[in-house]
Structures are given as structure tokens and as C-alpha cells.
Amino acid sequence: MRVFCDLLVLGLLQGFLALLYGGYLASISNVFDNTKVLQLARTQFENLGGVDGFWLGGTYDGKAIIWDDGTNATYANLAAASDSGNLVMSMQNGKWNTAAWKDKYPTMCIGKKSNGPQVAPCETEWMYATATKSCYKLVYNIDFANAEEQCRALGATISSVTSNEENDVIIDFAKTGYPGDTIFSAMIGAKRIGPNATDFAWLDGSPFTFYPWANGEPNNVGGRENCIMIWTDEIVGKNTPYRPYLHMWNDVDCDAHRRVAVCKKAALY
């Protein structure tokens, strides 16, 4: 359950107000959560006017982030040259700044405690997507064979993508937010089984009925493009010709290294 506190509060009162509502101030463990919390805050706080940030449930001591709810600080989105202090997310770009306890910002409480034990739908360091009821994890600097091996070792497969909703989940999770080279794209879990656009098969056995190919793809250049990547970010120096590719699919050489592949497995509930 999500509870929103659209009040301007001092940093000193953050934890007390969150516990009063039976939850915690927001902690952020991955880029997907960062985007979703920012979207929720923009909607919730639009009536306050002139608000440029909101309290997060953690502090930065100049070296490390500590979350009030005990979340492991495996992800950070600090603005450059941030000083120590309480964490505040920028409403403009989602970056984390710091502020003193005497500063006033709105605050967002997320979660509600229950009397029973809390079991997360995904293991630690996996991202849960409610749209697909699946868990996702990134593996880095891989070709297809290596990604398949790493995902399998995690009890997963390279992700299938079977709907617009899941395509958006993968893009939000895997994108860098900055222009990059073609290697910055994300590999997903299908392989070619024939010459046509629909002649691919997902490793996890899902039906291959959704395929948002970029214009002119798949073209199987050199007869070697037997895997699929998603263009999650724009390409340095090629933004204009490659813009139609953004968030679309392209067939690629399975042996070429990519920045990430996305592993996927079913959620616990």
C-alpha cells in the first residue's frame, strides 16, 4: 500500500511522519524505482506549486548512502558534488541532492507495515515489475552465450518480451539515460529459427507474437544476425538517422558484446 504525505516538513520530522502513517519514506534500489517514484511525486505534489524536490528516506555521509528502512544501498543517483545530509530527489531530473534538517520539502511515505512477516516478491537485487509479475536482473558486458549462462546460474533465462508493457519495463530498467554507442543496447532472450521477421523463438518458451521491429529490421546482415537487442538509448553522433530505432528492436550478431542483457524469472507471488 502507498501512502502519500503532501505536507512541507522539516528533515527532522521525516522519520516520525513516515512511521505515523505506518510506513517509511521512499528508498530507491534501482533505476526503475527511481523513475516510478519521481512520476508518482510529480502527480502527488502538483497541487503544492513551486516544489523543486521531496524528501527521500535516507542520508548521505559523504561516502555512503544509508536508507532508514534498511534497504541495501546498491544503487545511487547522486547529483555531482553532493555534500553530506538528508537525501532530496529533484522534481526536474530525478537526481538526488542533500539538504539540512531545517529545510522544508514535501515527503512521500511508501509501504504499510503488517503484523505478519514481510516477503518480497523478488530476491534481493532483483527488480519486481507489477505489470508483468516478474523479476528482472541485469548482467553486464556479455554476448548471448555468456548472458544465457549467467541468467541460468541465477535460476532465470534471458528475458522474453511479450507486450508493450513489458517492453517499457525492460527499457526503463536497462537504459542509461545518456546517448551511447550501439553496444549500450540491451540484449533480450530470443534466437532466430528461420529467415522471416517472426522466425524467432524465446528461450523461456513464450509465444513469439509481439515484435516491435525498427523500420527495415530484421535484416540479418551477413546472415549472422540471429539474436535481438532493444535500442534503449540514443546513439552518439547518429541521433538523427537512429532516432526511429529508439525503443525498437534490431537483429544482431549473437557473438557481439553488449552492455547488458536482462534476466527474467517469475515472481514469488
Side-chain angles (χ1 to χ4, degrees):
M1 179 179 179
R2 295 182 182 272
V3 180
F4 300 98
C5 319
D6 56 352
L7 303 172
L8 292 175
V9 297
L10 299 175
L12 184 65
L13 300 176
Q14 296 177 75
F16 172 75
L17 183 57
L19 292 173
L20 178 66
Y21 278 87
Y24 291 95
L25 294 190
S27 59
I28 310 292
S29 58
N30 56 62
V31 66
F32 183 81
D33 285 352
N34 200 77
T35 300
K36 293 304 179 186
V37 168
L38 177 60
Q39 291 171 343
L40 288 165
R42 285 172 173 170
T43 299
Q44 183 66 20
F45 302 141
E46 62 183 357
N47 63 315
L48 295 180
V51 172
D52 60 2
F54 59 96
W55 291 117
L56 294 176
T59 57
Y60 177 60
D61 64 6
K63 295 181 179 180
I65 291 168
I66 301 171
W67 295 112
D68 297 340
D69 65 1
T71 296
N72 291 328
T74 56
Y75 168 78
N77 194 31
L78 286 164
S82 293
D83 296 323
S84 58
N86 295 321
L87 291 174
V88 175
M89 183 184 287
S90 167
M91 294 282 280
Q92 281 68 48
N93 58 21
K95 286 287 185 181
W96 308 347
N97 303 293
T98 53
W101 65 266
K102 62 183 179 180
D103 294 331
K104 290 184 178 182
Y105 290 97
T107 184
M108 180 189 299
C109 311
I110 297 184
K112 191 171 182 69
K113 296 187 293 184
S114 69
N115 294 327
Q118 297 293 303
V119 179
C122 298
E123 300 165 63
T124 302
E125 298 183 357
W126 286 75
M127 186 273 291
Y128 175 66
T130 55
T132 63
K133 293 184 170 55
S134 296
C135 303
Y136 301 88
K137 184 178 176 67
L138 301 179
V139 291
Y140 294 88
N141 190 26
I142 42 73
D143 57 23
F144 190 90
N146 184 246
E148 183 178 8
E149 179 181 353
Q150 290 192 46
C151 289
R152 187 182 299 113
L154 295 168
T157 59
I158 311 179
S159 183
S160 56
V161 183
T162 60
S163 66
N164 273 315
E165 291 78 13
E166 187 160 33
N167 204 50
D168 290 343
V169 166
I170 297 297
I171 291 164
D172 283 342
F173 190 36
K175 70 183 177 182
T176 65
Y178 298 93
D181 201 289
T182 55
I183 63 168
F184 276 34
S185 55
M187 183 169 284
I188 52 178
K191 293 198 75 172
R192 185 186 294 279
I193 56 174
N196 300 313
T198 57
D199 289 343
F200 284 80
W202 295 112
L203 294 185
D204 65 7
S206 297
F208 195 83
T209 54
F210 172 78
Y211 34 88
W213 295 111
N215 186 37
E217 303 295 343
N219 55 10
N220 198 18
V221 171
R224 292 179 50 84
E225 296 189 329
N226 298 319
C227 289
I228 301 175
M229 68 172 219
I230 300 178
W231 299 83
T232 55
D233 297 274
E234 294 193 45
I235 309 304
V236 170
K238 298 180 180 179
N239 288 356
T240 299
Y242 278 80
R243 184 174 291 278
Y245 278 43
L246 188 61
H247 300 170
M248 308 300 283
W249 295 5
N250 181 27
D251 58 337
V252 292
D253 187 341
C254 297
D255 295 332
H257 273 71
R258 301 289 162 191
R259 178 179 61 90
V260 295
V262 184
C263 302
K264 170 185 173 183
K265 61 182 174 181
L268 298 176
Y269 60 88

